Amino acid sequence: MSAGQSWRVRAGVFAATAALLSAGTLLGAAAPASAAPAAIRLTSSSCPATIQQGQVSGCVTELQNLLNAHGAGLTVDGDFGAKTLYAVREYQASVAIAVDGLVGPQTKAKLYATGGSAPSPINLDSSSCPANIVQGDKGGCVTELQRLLRHFGYDIDIDGDFGSATYSAVRSFQSSNGLTVDGQVGTNTKRALYDTDESPSTAMDLRSASCPSDITEGMSGGCVATLQALLNGKGQHLDVDGQFGPLTLTAVKAFQSSAGLSVDGEVGPNTKNALYSNISTGGGSGAPSPINLNSSSCPSNIVQGQKSGCVTELQSLLNHHGADVAVDGDFGPLTASAVRDFQAEKGLSVDGQVGPNTKAALYGAVTPPSDPAPGGGYTKMLTVAEAELGTVEGSARANSYGSAVGLSMSTSKYAWCATFVSWVAKQTGASSYRNTYVSGWVNQARAGNYHLSVTSDPQPGDIVAFDWNGGWDFTGGHEHIGIVRTVSGGSSFTTVEGNTGNPNGGSDGVYSKTRSTADGYNVLFIRVR
């Protein structure tokens, strides 16, 4: 279920909660007040950069109209009062952006990108959508379908109505992706539509502004995946699939009961803190208590396969140095990959074993190496990437890319665009950073880590990240990444991308694409130096 659907689920309790905030009736039929100022588009220069409580204007009128299109039921009067503030915060939570009640650039972009007056989008894989979505269907599932098709370049309206234009776009999409051309959106077509999405991340902190204040049944994405990973650290046995379904709900309630919390199945601040408290201190039924790596209780070499408090400590230290691994006390392939990345970054022997030198470096006893001199491995990024052009998804060659991030699964099973970039970086030694998530590459570049930085002057061999649904957050499952091939001036450039459509039809793979910075989605260039 998508964030849009979670908004609809929450709408059932919206009125009851809102009643606590006002002596009057908060909800009801949206009846525009006669004195409401004329609506002004939020991105207009006439509207402030941040719209907030207390303001009265046409910008607020527009805001209230947009919130009502997403189910708020506000009276449209152009006055940003307590009711509008509550609706803004509810909307922000539903789309997993910072819940601050301030309508800044990110909230504005989301309001316009998530369907407008169309029914709220619903994840196509959720139980609320039919197994086959067909012409004539209407609703949030069709809204989501149309939104995804637009990401692939099809110029159709997002109105939640599966008409002839949507039908033609589906057939064209199926043809270009080597699918059965029947105009029906079944399992294979749904998977292909989501194929540029990132698989659920378990690196998100549930307490951060990136996650909703309350995570509830029906939601999906990286925050849910993190929740599932944390619950497994408490003895549950969930699939970490990023879908908050009945099994996850049962696990949440079981944890709340064992922790002496209110058993409501909603993951709010108290439940989040309890989930993290046991892991951070090593108590309870979570990860084993951390043990100093130099203690006599830890082996001289900590290796893959071990499970102990020494591994808990190791994972915590790796995360302190920028890794994104679950702190569960289990030395698995992702922890091994993080160890190798750390060793490469610190100029140590890259063997994946945590011996005396690696332990010392983890505790800060070794000075990080200086930046490489010009002419380093980054100059080979494009050469290595171009050599892979034509590699088909699911082939042995494509599947081997996963070795760079500790994955051995088929590339036909997950979104592997960032895995490909990680593999190229590993082959060239351009950067020791590896991550299967676009957001990871963007965040490290913005922070200036791992010899990565953001640039406005792209050159062949640079990395380029795309945020298809805007907002510049590169999260939410609608992002992509590749390597710049040519820059022709202006807004146009070409790329080498993994996990992208075959321009001649057939299976996805590594192909060259023509892209632009003027196509309505966010583009961020990353310099590798």
Side-chain angles (χ1 to χ4, degrees):
M1 185 181 294
S2 70
Q5 188 175 6
S6 71
W7 170 263
R8 294 175 61 180
V9 171
R10 295 161 70 93
V13 298
F14 190 81
T17 307
L20 299 176
L21 302 179
S22 172
T25 301
L26 176 61
L27 295 182
S34 58
I40 302 173
R41 187 171 177 84
L42 303 185
T43 53
S44 164
S45 60
S46 300
C47 290
T50 301
I51 305 170
Q52 54 191 301
Q53 187 175 14
Q55 295 176 0
V56 179
S57 69
C59 306
V60 179
T61 302
E62 174 81 346
L63 169 63
Q64 292 169 329
N65 283 327
L66 287 167
L67 290 168
N68 283 345
H70 290 89
L74 294 167
T75 296
V76 180
D77 57 8
D79 187 347
F80 197 138
K83 301 173 185 180
T84 301
L85 174 65
Y86 180 77
V88 168
R89 292 176 61 85
E90 280 288 285
Y91 174 74
Q92 289 172 326
S94 77
V95 294
I97 58 178
V99 183
D100 56 11
L102 302 174
V103 184
Q106 189 179 35
T107 302
K108 293 176 184 179
K110 287 289 185 182
L111 282 165
Y112 284 114
T114 50
S117 60
S120 298
I122 301 172
N123 189 290
L124 303 185
D125 294 320
S126 79
S127 59
S128 299
C129 290
N132 285 295
I133 305 171
V134 299
Q135 187 171 8
D137 287 349
K138 298 180 180 180
C141 304
V142 179
T143 300
E144 175 78 347
L145 167 63
Q146 292 168 327
R147 187 180 59 77
L148 291 167
L149 287 168
R150 283 185 67 90
H151 290 162
F152 282 94
Y154 295 96
D155 187 15
I156 56 174
D157 291 333
I158 299 179
D159 56 8
D161 187 346
F162 196 140
S164 57
T166 301
Y167 177 75
S168 296
V170 168
R171 289 180 59 89
S172 176
F173 175 80
Q174 290 171 327
S175 176
S176 66
N177 285 274
L179 303 168
T180 300
V181 182
D182 57 8
Q184 299 186 26
V185 183
T187 301
N188 292 335
T189 301
K190 291 176 183 178
R191 196 199 77 81
L193 284 164
Y194 282 114
D195 207 22
T196 56
D197 297 353
E198 294 305 300
S199 51
S201 167
T202 57
M204 301 179 76
D205 190 319
L206 302 186
R207 300 161 296 183
S208 74
S210 297
C211 292
S213 57
D214 291 294
I215 305 172
T216 60
E217 185 178 15
M219 291 185 178
S220 63
C223 299
V224 177
T226 298
L227 167 64
Q228 292 166 327
L230 288 169
L231 288 167
N232 286 345
K234 303 289 187 277
Q236 299 294 326
H237 301 283
L238 297 167
D239 289 333
V240 182
D241 58 6
Q243 301 290 330
F244 196 138
L247 294 179
T248 300
L249 177 64
T250 299
V252 168
K253 289 182 175 180
F255 171 73
Q256 290 173 325
S257 177
S258 67
L261 301 168
S262 175
V263 182
D264 58 8
E266 296 189 3
V267 184
N270 291 337
T271 301
K272 292 175 184 179
N273 289 334
L275 282 165
Y276 279 99
S277 64
N278 281 346
I279 282 185
S280 62
T281 63
S285 58
S289 298
I291 302 172
N292 189 291
L293 303 185
N294 295 314
S295 163
S296 59
S297 300
C298 292
S300 57
N301 283 302
I302 306 171
V303 299
Q304 187 171 349
Q306 294 178 1
K307 300 180 181 180
S308 68
C310 304
V311 180
T312 302
E313 176 81 346
L314 166 64
Q315 292 167 327
S316 296
L317 289 167
L318 287 168
N319 285 347
H320 176 73
H321 286 279
D324 291 319
V325 294
V327 181
D328 57 8
D330 187 347
F331 197 138
L334 293 180
T335 299
S337 178
V339 168
R340 290 191 294 270
D341 287 350
F342 174 78
Q343 290 171 327
E345 182 71 14
K346 299 301 181 183
L348 302 169
S349 175
V350 182
D351 57 9
Q353 300 186 25
V354 185
N357 291 336
T358 301
K359 292 177 184 179
L362 284 164
Y363 284 114
V366 176
T367 303
S370 59
D371 287 347
Y378 69 86
T379 61
K380 303 175 184 176
M381 288 280 286
L382 180 57
T383 301
V384 171
E386 285 182 322
E388 301 302 307
L389 286 169
T391 301
V392 177
E393 178 177 280
S395 66
R397 180 64 175 178
N399 295 345
S400 72
Y401 301 149
S403 63
V405 292
L407 293 177
S408 59
M409 63 181 359
S410 170
T411 44
S412 64
K413 300 293 186 181
Y414 73 107
W416 50 280
C417 57
T419 294
F420 175 67
V421 171
S422 296
W423 181 85
V424 172
K426 183 176 181 179
Q427 303 307 304
T428 62
S431 170
S432 64
Y433 189 66
R434 316 277 183 267
N435 205 311
T436 59
Y437 312 112
V438 175
S439 59
W441 286 94
V442 170
N443 291 339
Q444 295 298 343
R446 284 172 169 168
N449 297 330
Y450 296 96
H451 311 309
L452 305 173
S453 61
V454 175
T455 180
S456 59
D457 179 30
Q459 302 295 325
D462 285 340
I463 295 170
V464 57
F466 305 93
D467 190 345
W468 299 132
N469 65 341
W472 291 102
D473 53 358
F474 296 88
T475 60
H478 306 295
E479 50 276 350
H480 190 54
I481 196 166
I483 295 169
V484 176
R485 190 179 193 187
T486 63
V487 180
S488 58
S491 63
S492 181
F493 59 98
T494 65
T495 60
V496 178
E497 302 171 10
N499 190 44
T500 195
N502 185 337
N504 299 315
S507 300
D508 287 0
V510 181
Y511 297 105
S512 182
K513 290 296 180 70
T514 298
R515 301 292 192 185
S516 173
T517 58
D519 281 349
Y521 44 76
N522 298 150
V523 179
L524 182 138
F525 295 102
I526 298 173
R527 177 62 42 81
V528 187
R529 291 291 185 270

